[in-house]
Amino acid sequence: DLPALRELGKDAVLYVPADEPVALAEGIERLWADPGLAGALVEEAGKRVSGYDWGARAALILAFLAR
């Protein structure tokens, strides 16, 4: 659970404390035990990923640099 990951993942991620291996294991077990939650996260992540296009990102950077 890191701020940069929250910014990117928003509600498509099951967050666990970064320095707690037990919490990571519990998060994995939770996803394993709850296919509905796992599926919802996969679906939301798929929607989010579709918005990341390198061509579009490059165009935004070039437009910013041209200012």
Side-chain angles (χ1 to χ4, degrees):
D1 186 5
L2 302 170
L5 296 180
R6 279 197 176 268
E7 182 180 337
L8 290 173
K10 299 202 188 296
D11 56 351
V13 178
L14 177 64
Y15 295 96
V16 298
D19 296 336
E20 296 183 26
V22 171
L24 175 59
E26 289 170 347
I28 293 169
E29 288 174 351
R30 181 175 173 199
L31 291 172
W32 186 262
D34 188 345
L37 173 61
L41 292 175
V42 166
E43 185 175 334
E44 187 60 32
K47 291 177 192 172
R48 293 197 47 73
V49 146
S50 69
Y52 291 96
D53 174 271
W54 284 110
R57 183 69 53 195
L60 289 171
I61 292 169
L62 290 174
F64 175 78
L65 294 173
R67 292 192 295 153

